[in-house]
Amino acid sequence: MTTHHDTLVQHQFGATAQDYVSSTTHAQGADLIHIAAMAAQASPVHALDLGCGGGHVAYAMAPYATRITACDLSADMLAAVEAESARRGIAHIATVRAAAEALPFADDSFDFLACRFSAHHWRDVRRGLIEARRVLRPGGMAVFADVIAPPLAAADTHLQAIEVLRDPSHGRNYSARQWAAMLAEAGFTVTDEQQGRLRMEFAAWTARMRTPAPAMEAIRLIQSRASQEVAEHFGIEEDGSYTLDTIMLTAA
C-alpha cells in the first residue's frame, strides 16, 4: 500500500503539474504573503519548500533566502518548478525528489522550512513532521499551512468524501487540534496559529485535478444531500463552489 499511494500521488500530480504552477489559488493568498514576510525577517541561508507542488512557496522565499531546496514526490512537478524558476530568472532554487517521510538531507540542514497545502497528501503525516523537525536546525523556523477538517463530525466526513472523489491521492485533512498534537509529538513548539477560510471555485477545483465526470457528479450529489448545518458551514453554492477552513502554524 505504501508504494501504491506514492505511485498514485505521482500519477495524479504528474499530469497536472503545469496547472498547479499556473493555479491562482496556489499562486496567491494571505498565507503565502505571510510566509514571504517571515522569510524576509529570517533571511535564511538555506530554506526548504517541503512538498513544493508548483513551487509558489519557493518563489515567495526567493528574494530573502541564499539557497532554496524545493522538495516533492512528483518528478513532473519538480520539472515544472525548474522551468518556472528559469522563466522567472531565479537561479538559487534546487529541486530534490523525495517523500516527506524519508527526506534525503542531513540533520539540521535548513534554517527555514515551509510546507503549504501538501501534508494532506502524505502517506504518514506524523513521520513526515518528524523528518521536518530532524532536518530543521535548532532555532530554525517552520511554517505549516493546510486545509483543516472542521470540528463537526458530519462536516468532516463530507469534506473527506468530496476531496477523495476529486483527487484519489488525497489522504486526510486534519483538524486544528490534531495538527497541534502532531507537531508537538514531532518535537516542534508552536509559536503562532492563524485560521482562515478559502473559497474553492468548483470548475477550477475539479479541472486542476482532471476529475472525471462521474466523480464530479458524485461530489454534486453529496453536496445536494448535505444537511443544512453542513451546507451552511461550507457555504455550498449553486454551482458546487464552496469554502474551506485553513490553518497556518508557525513552529520552532
Side-chain angles (χ1 to χ4, degrees):
M1 289 182 67
T2 295
T3 302
H4 176 68
H5 179 77
D6 288 354
T7 301
L8 185 58
V9 171
Q10 294 173 68
H11 172 75
Q12 284 296 112
F13 287 94
T16 62
Q18 190 54 48
D19 294 334
Y20 273 80
V21 171
S22 59
S23 165
T24 54
T25 298
H26 293 79
Q28 60 189 23
D31 57 340
L32 196 59
I33 294 170
H34 185 72
I35 290 171
M38 293 177 66
Q41 180 181 358
S43 297
V45 174
H46 196 182
L48 176 64
D49 181 355
L50 180 57
C52 65
H56 299 292
V57 166
Y59 312 141
M61 296 190 296
Y64 315 109
T66 304
R67 297 169 56 204
I68 299 169
T69 295
C71 180
D72 201 272
L73 186 59
S74 168
D76 292 309
M77 277 290 192
L78 295 176
V81 171
E82 291 169 2
E84 182 66 11
S85 297
R87 188 188 72 79
R88 296 185 184 214
I90 304 172
H92 59 296
I93 295 177
T95 61
V96 172
R97 181 174 175 268
E101 299 87 354
L103 297 176
F105 310 117
D107 295 359
D108 308 337
S109 292
F110 304 94
D111 52 341
F112 192 90
L113 182 153
C115 177
R116 180 177 182 251
F117 297 147
S118 172
H120 60 270
H121 293 289
W122 297 355
R123 171 173 42 86
D124 185 340
V125 173
R126 287 174 173 81
R127 181 69 236 170
L129 294 178
I130 290 170
E131 279 289 272
R133 178 62 272 179
R134 179 184 67 79
V135 302
L136 183 68
R137 70 164 176 79
M141 182 181 298
V143 188
F144 298 92
D146 211 342
V147 173
I148 52 172
L152 178 66
D156 183 5
T157 300
H158 177 98
L159 175 64
Q160 310 303 337
I162 65 171
E163 286 276 26
V164 80
L165 281 167
R166 180 247 183 179
D167 169 16
S169 74
H170 173 78
R172 176 165 187 83
N173 296 120
Y174 295 89
S175 69
R177 180 176 295 181
Q178 287 172 317
W179 262 106
M182 291 188 298
L183 286 169
E185 289 169 7
F188 284 102
T189 299
V190 174
T191 58
D192 185 62
E193 175 185 321
Q194 298 182 33
Q195 294 190 29
R197 300 275 283 168
L198 178 63
R199 181 179 179 272
M200 306 303 292
E201 199 276 317
F202 186 85
W205 179 64
T206 51
R208 188 163 54 247
M209 196 44 71
R210 316 283 172 87
T211 306
M216 288 194 287
E217 291 170 4
I219 293 169
R220 296 295 285 120
L221 177 62
I222 289 172
Q223 289 179 323
S224 72
R225 296 176 62 121
S227 68
Q228 181 178 349
E229 194 172 17
V230 169
E232 288 177 353
H233 177 85
F234 291 111
I236 299 173
E237 302 173 31
E238 188 174 347
D239 69 346
S241 300
Y242 68 103
T243 301
L244 292 164
D245 301 288
T246 62
I247 196 167
M248 181 165 54
L249 295 149
T250 302

